[in-house]
Amino acid sequence: MSKVNIPNNYPKGCSDDSIKKVVEECQTKIATVNYAYNVVLGTSYYATIAEQGNAELNRRLSERLITNLEKSSKRQRELTWTIIIIGGLNLVLAFLKLF
């Protein structure tokens, strides 16, 4: 059985693709080990490694989502003020047009 190559900086120091690769290798190893006999190292080790990788990917995704929500919220506030200003200018123009 081949050994899963886990980088020393796993998971926080790895790229998303590197984490995904390790998680996939661990999942494959779990599936293989579950059907093998005379296994020295059980699947709990690989499951833990895969869980750590998935947790790190979820944390990164959450950070990106929060950042995007903050940017979106800021943009929405800017657009709201722009709409208010344009509406106010339209009212002023309407009053000027009456006179």
Side-chain angles (χ1 to χ4, degrees):
M1 297 182 111
S2 65
K3 182 179 175 185
V4 175
N5 183 20
I6 302 170
N8 292 336
N9 58 353
Y10 182 82
K12 295 195 184 274
C14 296
S15 67
D16 290 356
D17 290 336
S18 179
I19 293 173
K20 288 176 187 176
K21 183 177 181 232
V22 171
V23 169
E24 288 173 7
E25 288 177 4
C26 286
Q27 289 171 340
T28 302
K29 188 70 139 180
I30 290 169
T32 305
V33 169
N34 279 339
Y35 295 108
Y37 297 104
N38 299 326
V39 176
V40 176
L41 185 59
T43 59
S44 62
Y45 172 75
Y46 298 110
T48 302
I49 296 296
E51 287 172 12
Q52 288 176 347
N54 283 326
E56 179 66 17
L57 289 173
N58 287 335
R59 185 190 65 77
R60 291 178 186 184
L61 179 61
S62 294
E63 283 180 354
R64 284 186 221 128
L65 288 173
I66 289 169
T67 302
N68 287 339
L69 283 172
E70 289 170 348
K71 287 178 184 176
S72 176
S73 178
K74 181 181 177 190
R75 182 71 177 144
Q76 184 64 38
R77 284 191 302 272
E78 291 171 352
L79 290 173
T80 300
W81 279 110
T82 303
I83 290 169
I84 290 170
I85 291 169
I86 291 172
L89 289 174
N90 280 334
L91 283 174
V92 170
L93 288 174
F95 283 125
L96 291 176
K97 199 172 190 181
L98 288 174
F99 298 109

